Amino acid sequence: MEENNAKTTEAEAIGLPGDGADAGTVASETVGENLDGLNDGAPENAGAQDEDVARINRENARRRREVEREKALGEARERAIIETLDGKNPYDGSELRDGADVARFLEMKRAYLEREAEEEKETAAREEWFRGDRDAFRAAYPDVDLDALIEDERFRTFSEGKVGNLPMKTIYEGYREFLGAFDEKAKSLAAQALANRAAGPGALGGAKHAEGDSYTAEEVRRMSPAEVRANYEKIRNSMTKW
């Protein structure tokens, strides 16, 4: 009786119900259930982990195959480029032997195509500017034959370096001003030539100068360049008396 009470007390102390015998039975059953639970969960968790590992392995294998495929394609492309170009870089004449040479060729090709595209763009923009410039000129001067103007030698000389940099209207207006100034200068020179002819050697003072005579300042101003050269010493002597 005391022994049973002792077992019961011990069982109660660890939280198990019933008497000592029942307590032992209950304890055994409880521990067994806990172990069964652990055993039931272990295979399930292990299966999930195995599936994760298998999935990762499959993904890694796929990536390796993809890398190998890309590498093989790249090498095949390099060989095709080298064979197509007969082993020569057309941009600088250097040899194409390996992937580094092919990469250099492709970079030069890219730069060339970019420059070509930029030049085409600039050419198109320049042509558009010329079309607009011609239209603006014809609107301002509808009576002027632009084609004939461009063929005129004097205009071509005047407009050299200006066409394409300045509007045609501005060039033409400057050309007209130039012609006006040129005409005025031509008229002035013509008038001076007539005056010089009128004031020839026999017209200086109405008579020839005797040897030793001098010229006045007015007479010298009326002389032509040829007369000045012919009478240079005499003119110098005359200047001392003015």
PDB file of all heavy atoms in Angstrom, residues 1 12 63-64 112 133 185 198:
ATOM      1  N   MET A   1       0.832  -1.189   0.000  1.00  0.00           N
ATOM      2  CA  MET A   1       0.000   0.000   0.000  1.00  0.00           C
ATOM      3  C   MET A   1       0.864   1.235   0.000  1.00  0.00           C
ATOM      4  O   MET A   1       0.670   2.158  -0.788  1.00  0.00           O
ATOM      5  CB  MET A   1      -0.951  -0.027   1.218  1.00  0.00           C
ATOM      6  CG  MET A   1      -1.909   1.174   1.279  1.00  0.00           C
ATOM      7  SD  MET A   1      -3.061   1.130  -0.110  1.00  0.00           S
ATOM      8  CE  MET A   1      -4.090   2.490   0.317  1.00  0.00           C
ATOM      9  N   GLU A  12       2.192  11.565  -9.848  1.00  0.00           N
ATOM     10  CA  GLU A  12       1.523  12.857  -9.809  1.00  0.00           C
ATOM     11  C   GLU A  12       2.526  13.991  -9.848  1.00  0.00           C
ATOM     12  O   GLU A  12       2.261  15.067 -10.404  1.00  0.00           O
ATOM     13  CB  GLU A  12       0.671  12.956  -8.538  1.00  0.00           C
ATOM     14  CG  GLU A  12      -0.541  12.010  -8.574  1.00  0.00           C
ATOM     15  CD  GLU A  12      -1.277  12.009  -7.236  1.00  0.00           C
ATOM     16  OE1 GLU A  12      -0.730  12.586  -6.278  1.00  0.00           O
ATOM     17  OE2 GLU A  12      -2.401  11.470  -7.186  1.00  0.00           O
ATOM     18  N   ARG A  63      21.195  25.544 -66.805  1.00  0.00           N
ATOM     19  CA  ARG A  63      22.025  26.736 -67.014  1.00  0.00           C
ATOM     20  C   ARG A  63      23.373  26.368 -67.626  1.00  0.00           C
ATOM     21  O   ARG A  63      23.885  27.080 -68.490  1.00  0.00           O
ATOM     22  CB  ARG A  63      22.236  27.453 -65.683  1.00  0.00           C
ATOM     23  CG  ARG A  63      20.973  28.115 -65.150  1.00  0.00           C
ATOM     24  CD  ARG A  63      21.234  28.813 -63.834  1.00  0.00           C
ATOM     25  NE  ARG A  63      20.029  29.466 -63.336  1.00  0.00           N
ATOM     26  CZ  ARG A  63      19.958  30.114 -62.179  1.00  0.00           C
ATOM     27  NH1 ARG A  63      21.031  30.173 -61.394  1.00  0.00           N
ATOM     28  NH2 ARG A  63      18.825  30.669 -61.799  1.00  0.00           N
ATOM     29  N   ARG A  64      23.959  25.248 -67.163  1.00  0.00           N
ATOM     30  CA  ARG A  64      25.225  24.814 -67.744  1.00  0.00           C
ATOM     31  C   ARG A  64      25.063  24.486 -69.224  1.00  0.00           C
ATOM     32  O   ARG A  64      25.903  24.845 -70.042  1.00  0.00           O
ATOM     33  CB  ARG A  64      25.758  23.585 -66.989  1.00  0.00           C
ATOM     34  CG  ARG A  64      26.388  23.909 -65.642  1.00  0.00           C
ATOM     35  CD  ARG A  64      27.202  22.733 -65.140  1.00  0.00           C
ATOM     36  NE  ARG A  64      26.377  21.550 -64.956  1.00  0.00           N
ATOM     37  CZ  ARG A  64      25.724  21.239 -63.835  1.00  0.00           C
ATOM     38  NH1 ARG A  64      25.800  22.066 -62.796  1.00  0.00           N
ATOM     39  NH2 ARG A  64      25.003  20.140 -63.745  1.00  0.00           N
ATOM     40  N   TYR A 112      31.968  52.210 -87.513  1.00  0.00           N
ATOM     41  CA  TYR A 112      31.822  52.640 -88.909  1.00  0.00           C
ATOM     42  C   TYR A 112      30.355  52.852 -89.262  1.00  0.00           C
ATOM     43  O   TYR A 112      29.994  53.861 -89.889  1.00  0.00           O
ATOM     44  CB  TYR A 112      32.447  51.591 -89.832  1.00  0.00           C
ATOM     45  CG  TYR A 112      32.148  51.836 -91.292  1.00  0.00           C
ATOM     46  CD1 TYR A 112      32.856  52.785 -92.021  1.00  0.00           C
ATOM     47  CD2 TYR A 112      31.133  51.124 -91.938  1.00  0.00           C
ATOM     48  CE1 TYR A 112      32.573  53.020 -93.360  1.00  0.00           C
ATOM     49  CE2 TYR A 112      30.849  51.351 -93.276  1.00  0.00           C
ATOM     50  CZ  TYR A 112      31.569  52.297 -93.978  1.00  0.00           C
ATOM     51  OH  TYR A 112      31.267  52.532 -95.295  1.00  0.00           O
ATOM     52  N   ASP A 133      16.075  77.023 -98.217  1.00  0.00           N
ATOM     53  CA  ASP A 133      16.754  78.270 -98.571  1.00  0.00           C
ATOM     54  C   ASP A 133      16.364  78.726 -99.980  1.00  0.00           C
ATOM     55  O   ASP A 133      16.121  79.918-100.214  1.00  0.00           O
ATOM     56  CB  ASP A 133      18.267  78.057 -98.471  1.00  0.00           C
ATOM     57  CG  ASP A 133      19.034  79.344 -98.703  1.00  0.00           C
ATOM     58  OD1 ASP A 133      18.709  80.350 -98.057  1.00  0.00           O
ATOM     59  OD2 ASP A 133      19.951  79.347 -99.546  1.00  0.00           O
ATOM     60  N   LYS A 185      32.627 102.933-108.563  1.00  0.00           N
ATOM     61  CA  LYS A 185      34.079 103.052-108.697  1.00  0.00           C
ATOM     62  C   LYS A 185      34.467 103.104-110.163  1.00  0.00           C
ATOM     63  O   LYS A 185      35.345 103.899-110.558  1.00  0.00           O
ATOM     64  CB  LYS A 185      34.743 101.848-108.027  1.00  0.00           C
ATOM     65  CG  LYS A 185      36.269 101.885-108.062  1.00  0.00           C
ATOM     66  CD  LYS A 185      36.810 103.024-107.214  1.00  0.00           C
ATOM     67  CE  LYS A 185      38.327 102.983-107.146  1.00  0.00           C
ATOM     68  NZ  LYS A 185      38.891 104.133-106.406  1.00  0.00           N
ATOM     69  N   ALA A 198      42.022 114.990-121.087  1.00  0.00           N
ATOM     70  CA  ALA A 198      41.770 116.408-121.404  1.00  0.00           C
ATOM     71  C   ALA A 198      42.919 117.290-120.953  1.00  0.00           C
ATOM     72  O   ALA A 198      43.214 118.323-121.573  1.00  0.00           O
ATOM     73  CB  ALA A 198      40.470 116.858-120.747  1.00  0.00           C
TER      74      ALA A 198
END
